[in-house]
């Protein structure tokens, strides 16, 4: 297992790899790592993140390993199907999971995602279009959605 802190444009990301898969890529308050990671999968992850942040990558291909309950894994797998530059609501997510009544459970699973950005939980919004629930903070969610062209500055005025 290897841990590397990557300095992204929206803050440091702690990337953890186990063998040949990413198991975590979360926001960290720790100082960025120096040097180059030993793990090839972490190097691939950083390369893809850099391409994403520069606007050249719309879908991640780095190998990930989901480590949650069966329901959480279903939610996270569904999140990976949300295309770059698109959003869905929590009720849409529950419907896609086959149970419109599981909105809260789907939202809780969404919030427990240990691989945000790669598993794009930031693409799930409130039914009224509001930016709700993001572990890294709503400022980062707004940045990511703006980066993907989902929202523009004038739209943010209605959420203030």
């Amino acid at each position: 297992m290897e841990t590397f802190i990557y300095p992204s444009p929206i803050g440091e990301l702690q990337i953890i790899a186990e063998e040949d898969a990413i198991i975590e890529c979360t926001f960290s308050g720790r100082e960025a790592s120096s040097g180059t990671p030993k793990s090839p999968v972490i190097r691939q992850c950083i390369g893809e993140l850099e391409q994403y942040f520069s606007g050249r990558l719309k879908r991640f291909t780095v190998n990930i390993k989901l480590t949650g309950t069966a329901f959480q894994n279903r939610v996270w797998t569904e999140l990976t199907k949300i295309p770059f530059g698109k959003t869905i609501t929590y009720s849409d997510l529950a419907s896609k999971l086959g149970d419109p009544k599981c909105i809260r459970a789907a939202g809780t699973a969404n919030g427990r995602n240990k691989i945000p950005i790669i598993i794009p939980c930031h693409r799930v919004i409130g039914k009224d279009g509001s930016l709700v629930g993001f572990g890294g903070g709503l400022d980062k969610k707004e940045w990511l959605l703006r980066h993907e062209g989902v929202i523009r500055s004038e739209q943010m005025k209605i959420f203030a």
Side-chain angles (χ1 to χ4, degrees):
M1 188 175 318
E2 182 180 358
T3 300
F4 192 85
I5 308 297
Y6 165 68
S8 84
I10 56 173
E12 282 70 25
L13 296 173
Q14 176 175 276
I15 304 169
I16 302 175
E18 184 178 87
E19 297 173 17
D20 65 342
I22 299 299
I23 60 169
E24 189 173 312
C25 182
T26 55
F27 293 96
S28 167
R30 295 174 46 199
E31 189 174 316
S33 300
S34 60
T36 305
K38 294 178 180 118
S39 167
V41 73
I42 289 182
R43 288 194 304 270
Q44 178 187 354
C45 182
I46 290 169
E48 289 188 16
L49 285 166
E50 287 175 348
Q51 289 178 34
Y52 169 80
F53 287 122
S54 70
R56 297 179 318 220
L57 182 86
K58 297 189 182 331
R59 186 162 181 81
F60 290 89
T61 61
V62 66
N63 193 30
I64 59 174
K65 179 180 176 186
L66 302 176
T67 55
T69 66
F71 180 75
Q72 288 171 335
N73 291 345
R74 282 184 51 223
V75 170
W76 300 333
T77 298
E78 196 60 47
L79 294 175
T80 64
K81 298 176 185 175
I82 306 169
F84 179 96
K86 303 288 182 193
T87 58
I88 65 170
T89 65
Y90 287 95
S91 52
D92 293 336
L93 178 59
S95 293
K96 288 177 183 293
L97 293 166
D99 183 0
K101 295 178 184 170
C102 75
I103 294 171
R104 286 185 187 268
T108 299
N110 194 38
R112 294 214 169 111
N113 175 14
K114 293 180 186 176
I115 313 175
I117 303 173
I118 296 168
I119 297 177
C121 54
H122 60 279
R123 296 179 186 155
V124 183
I125 60 173
K127 193 170 190 170
D128 63 356
S130 60
L131 305 183
V132 293
F134 188 66
L138 292 181
D139 59 325
K140 289 176 177 62
K141 183 171 188 160
E142 178 187 342
W143 190 99
L144 291 164
L145 292 176
R146 192 171 293 193
H147 171 69
E148 294 186 11
V150 174
I151 56 176
R152 296 175 304 282
S153 295
E154 60 271 11
Q155 286 178 287
M156 287 314 297
K157 292 176 187 167
I158 65 171
F159 300 122

